[in-house]
Amino acid sequence: MTDHPLNTKGLQCPLPVLRARKAIKAIAIGDTLTVEATDPGARKDFPAFCEATGNRLLSVVEEEGILRFVIERAA
């Protein structure tokens, strides 16, 4: 399993999710995408994104105003 970082800090909805959608299509099933975001709306957007796409949200961590989502590509 390989982790792929995606920096969306400073971007506002819907750009973080749109960039994640594009990035997750480019990685292998079983790999993870770690998205860093500063948009407060991302806290709701990424769980909904994972549910809609069939991917797994493994963790959500917030440190110093940066949200970090780890998503496993399952579909």
Side-chain angles (χ1 to χ4, degrees):
M1 172 166 59
T2 303
D3 183 60
H4 303 269
L6 178 64
N7 181 349
T8 66
K9 293 181 278 192
L11 300 178
Q12 298 298 312
C13 181
L15 290 177
V17 170
L18 292 176
R19 299 241 174 123
R21 180 181 306 270
K22 182 177 179 180
I24 207 152
K25 288 179 181 179
I27 68 174
I29 291 175
D31 283 0
T32 57
L33 180 68
T34 299
V35 182
E36 290 188 336
T38 51
D39 179 11
R43 186 174 290 284
K44 292 180 184 177
D45 293 342
F46 278 97
F49 165 72
C50 290
E51 187 174 324
T53 60
N55 295 299
R56 291 186 191 97
L57 181 59
L58 301 179
S59 69
V60 179
V61 177
E62 183 172 2
E63 292 178 0
E64 299 178 13
I66 298 172
L67 292 161
R68 187 172 294 112
F69 303 90
V70 180
I71 303 166
E72 179 184 2
R73 182 172 181 199

